[in-house]
Amino acid sequence: MSDRSNFGATTTADEVLEGIDLSGKLVVITGGASGLGQETARAMATKGAHIVIPVRDMAKGEAAVAAIKTSVPDADIELMECELGKMASIQFFAEAFLVQHDQIDLLINNAGVMACPHTTTSDGLEMQFGTNHIGHFLLTNLLIPALVKTAKTGGDARIINLSSRGHHFDTVHFDDPHFETRDYDKWLAYGQAKTANIMFTVGLEKRLADKGVHALSVHPGGIRTNLGRHLTEDDIALLLKRMDENADEGFTFKTVEAGAATSCYAATAPELEGKGGVYLEDCHIADVDDEDPNGSVRSYAVDPGNAEKLWTLSEATVGQTFSY
């Protein structure tokens, strides 16, 4: 295995996975039909993983698989229908999945929406919180038995939640997560959802660490993908200005290959085995810092009390309680 100590912002997914064997491993990747998720699927497929991609649009999923197979002809990828903004769809997917597969090695919660106009999921939840957090909360909890079984048989089972430096924008408003009593702001809504991804990670780690399953959250970096499909030209200009002002040496976008690296690192790095509840950026564990504009994770996002409040709110939202 090559030297892993110098991984950073420009490291690619392929470099992270050099020397890693994923043969016989089952990996579930939400949002795997485009952008970072597709690159994560491609990179892991090169290492022999069996990939399952839950997709809302099967035709789009099939096109993504075809694209991956142009570079990885023997990629082992399975598509299953699932809409993260619809709880009934998630429930149906999980039931169908568990009939076919009783173990999961890696669950990578990669899908998301960013800074969209005010709209709601089919269940009436604010779109960003409802999709980015609640959808993944329900999906993950329904699939946990398969992760626990992997750990019981000696496997290194991990859950990776994609967050963002956007979590710096706002914390979770437990009294009004769906903007029912406050004016909607698409960036605050995005920040709240990305903070929820980190809090969810902390809550998962508390519940699953003693069962051998570990959860990690990830900031992939700034990448031009279809995640930004709702952004106007003014939004992009403002975002670039803010990033450039806060960057030590000026901001540059990552490539998709580099953007997928931290997800792959969190999911597979031997040096992270047994280390959960942490937030990673640029292929390393970030510091907790409430002032640093260039990185780090905010203390409210990793606060155990906040994680418990979010868990209670989330269970109430999905109408289920979970124990393992």
Side-chain angles (χ1 to χ4, degrees):
M1 189 174 291
S2 60
D3 177 23
R4 304 170 61 80
S5 62
N6 61 350
F7 287 169
T10 60
T11 301
T12 66
D14 285 332
E15 289 169 339
V16 163
L17 293 175
E18 185 178 344
I20 302 288
D21 183 9
L22 296 177
S23 300
K25 305 290 187 183
L26 193 147
V27 183
V28 179
I29 307 174
T30 70
S34 65
L36 294 182
Q38 183 175 328
E39 172 60 12
T40 301
R42 182 208 62 79
M44 289 189 166
T46 67
K47 298 301 180 179
H50 173 63
I51 312 287
V52 177
I53 303 178
V55 291
R56 181 178 59 180
D57 184 335
M58 291 295 284
K60 183 178 178 182
E62 288 164 2
V65 172
I68 291 170
K69 288 193 172 185
T70 61
S71 60
V72 192
D74 58 349
D76 183 7
I77 303 176
E78 178 183 353
L79 299 174
M80 295 182 70
E81 192 169 350
C82 181
E83 184 175 344
L84 282 170
K86 190 174 184 179
M87 292 184 212
S89 176
I90 296 168
Q91 192 84 38
F92 182 83
F93 163 80
E95 291 171 1
F97 176 91
L98 292 172
V99 167
Q100 299 176 49
H101 308 285
D102 63 350
Q103 291 188 223
I104 297 172
D105 294 274
L106 303 170
L107 170 59
I108 302 177
N109 290 322
N110 166 89
V113 293
M114 180 173 74
C116 60
H118 186 250
T119 185
T120 58
T121 68
S122 62
D123 300 301
L125 311 178
E126 187 276 313
M127 183 61 74
Q128 296 189 74
F129 190 78
T131 302
N132 296 354
H133 170 60
I134 293 296
H136 283 123
F137 176 86
L138 179 58
L139 176 73
T140 300
N141 276 292
L142 293 174
L143 295 181
I144 279 173
L147 287 148
V148 170
K149 185 168 183 180
T150 291
K152 282 182 177 178
T153 56
D156 181 12
R158 302 187 196 182
I159 301 165
I160 311 303
N161 293 321
L162 266 75
S163 180
S164 166
R165 193 172 296 171
H167 85 273
H168 290 189
F169 296 157
D170 206 0
T171 187
V172 175
H173 293 255
F174 299 107
D175 58 341
D176 185 26
H178 305 294
F179 290 84
E180 294 169 320
T181 62
R182 55 195 172 118
D183 292 338
Y184 180 75
D185 181 300
K186 62 187 179 183
W187 288 112
L188 294 183
Y190 181 65
Q192 173 180 246
K194 294 291 100 181
T195 293
N197 294 145
I198 303 171
M199 291 180 184
F200 179 37
T201 302
V202 174
L204 282 168
E205 183 67 15
K206 175 185 174 182
R207 288 162 174 81
L208 297 174
D210 64 351
K211 294 174 176 60
V213 179
H214 295 281
L216 305 93
S217 57
V218 164
H219 166 49
I223 310 104
R224 286 189 184 272
T225 70
N226 68 347
L227 179 65
R229 61 190 176 277
H230 297 292
L231 301 186
T232 65
E233 291 299 320
D234 288 344
D235 288 333
I236 294 170
L238 182 63
L239 202 56
L240 286 171
K241 182 173 183 290
R242 179 184 294 169
M243 289 173 169
D244 197 52
E245 288 172 348
N246 288 338
D248 290 327
E249 300 174 358
F251 173 78
T252 56
F253 277 109
K254 286 187 179 185
T255 63
V256 172
E257 292 79 6
T262 305
S263 296
C264 290
Y265 179 75
T268 66
E271 58 268 32
L272 292 177
E273 187 169 353
K275 295 181 181 179
V278 294
Y279 170 91
L280 296 97
E281 54 190 5
D282 295 340
C283 300
H284 69 266
I285 297 174
D287 295 328
V288 180
D289 189 316
D290 287 336
E291 303 297 332
D292 182 8
N294 297 314
S296 307
V297 60
R298 296 301 187 241
S299 61
Y300 53 73
V302 292
D303 179 81
N306 285 341
E308 289 310 299
K309 288 181 184 177
L310 179 66
W311 196 280
T312 300
L313 168 67
S314 302
E315 285 189 331
T317 303
V318 302
Q320 295 187 54
T321 56
F322 301 98
S323 58
Y324 321 109

